[in-house]
Amino acid sequence: MRNKILVNNIINSGKTVSFHWVKAHVGLEGNEMADSLARLAFKYPAPYVPIPTPKSWFKYSARKKAISDWQTSWDASLKGRSLYNWIKFVKADRIYSSSALNSILTGHGPFYNYFQRFKIKTPSPCRCGYANPDSDHFLLACPLLDSSRPRCLKKPNPNKPHLLSDHRKALTTFSEIAVAFSKDLYPPTHH
């Protein structure tokens, strides 16, 4: 920066400035002096100048480590595999505000396998005849919902993470329909 100021001062004074490449070690006085000072600097240890680590670095490092550990745990876990089919990578700020979408993603909702797993009630087959309807059945396969199902959900074996990232609005809207249909099939029991 100081050199730039000096050059600007020289130019503003009306003088001409030009730069030339100089081969090292050719006996030029300024170049020899610079080399001599550089060699002298290597003879002495550099002074220790403590620079405090910014708090933001600690926060960043802790967050990065926590997410890395979380991802490792998520990949290795035997639990939450229904959700894992949709969401392969953990993310601290991911929020889905639709309870129906959350039911579809997690498989926790008015679905045959959920009721059976938690012994909530004796489940019955879907009206279409499918014996063990789960969230995927209502979302992707039940023929009774075909007329309402968006095109992105009609492809065979859809890429679930892709659906969630690229078609979230359609997925959320249809999740509401699918869960409502399933709730009608399995109305809540009051004790």
Side-chain angles (χ1 to χ4, degrees):
M1 183 68 177
R2 194 167 57 182
N3 288 343
K4 187 176 181 180
I5 293 170
L6 290 172
V7 169
N8 282 334
N9 288 342
I10 294 170
I11 291 171
N12 290 336
S13 70
K15 308 263 189 211
T16 303
V17 176
S18 62
F19 293 94
H20 301 277
W21 178 77
V22 177
K23 185 176 178 179
H25 310 291
V26 293
L28 293 174
E29 184 181 339
N31 193 35
E32 291 300 325
M33 182 188 284
D35 285 347
S36 164
L37 291 172
R39 280 190 296 277
L40 185 62
F42 275 110
K43 289 182 180 180
Y44 301 99
Y48 173 72
V49 180
I51 300 173
T53 305
K55 289 179 186 175
S56 61
W57 182 87
F58 290 109
K59 187 175 176 182
Y60 167 81
S61 296
R63 181 180 171 89
K64 187 175 176 181
K65 172 76 170 120
I67 289 176
S68 174
D69 290 351
W70 182 16
Q71 184 67 53
T72 300
S73 175
W74 182 233
D75 290 338
S77 178
L78 298 176
K79 296 186 176 200
R81 296 302 85 183
S82 178
L83 183 59
Y84 187 80
N85 290 329
W86 288 96
I87 302 172
K88 302 284 186 199
F89 302 101
V90 300
K91 189 175 176 186
D93 58 353
R94 182 182 288 127
I95 297 173
Y96 300 117
S97 58
S98 164
S99 62
L101 179 59
N102 287 325
S103 289
I104 292 289
L105 298 179
T106 62
H108 290 221
F111 311 118
Y112 180 97
N113 61 334
Y114 181 75
F115 292 140
Q116 193 172 36
R117 179 176 166 206
F118 293 103
K119 298 175 179 42
I120 296 172
K121 61 169 80 175
T122 304
S124 58
C126 181
R127 286 190 203 129
C128 73
Y130 188 71
N132 304 318
D134 59 3
S135 59
D136 278 358
H137 170 74
F138 293 108
L139 186 70
L140 304 170
C142 183
L144 299 177
L145 293 170
D146 276 348
S147 63
S148 303
R149 187 174 288 112
R151 189 172 56 218
C152 63
L153 295 173
K154 290 182 179 181
K155 298 174 183 169
N157 300 317
N159 178 322
K160 290 179 176 181
H162 170 74
L163 282 174
L164 193 55
S165 64
D166 295 355
H167 302 285
R168 182 168 310 146
K169 186 173 182 180
L171 184 61
T172 300
T173 301
F174 187 69
S175 292
E176 301 286 341
I177 295 167
V179 169
F181 181 84
S182 180
K183 280 182 181 175
D184 188 40
L185 183 62
Y186 303 115
T189 56
H190 300 285
H191 299 281

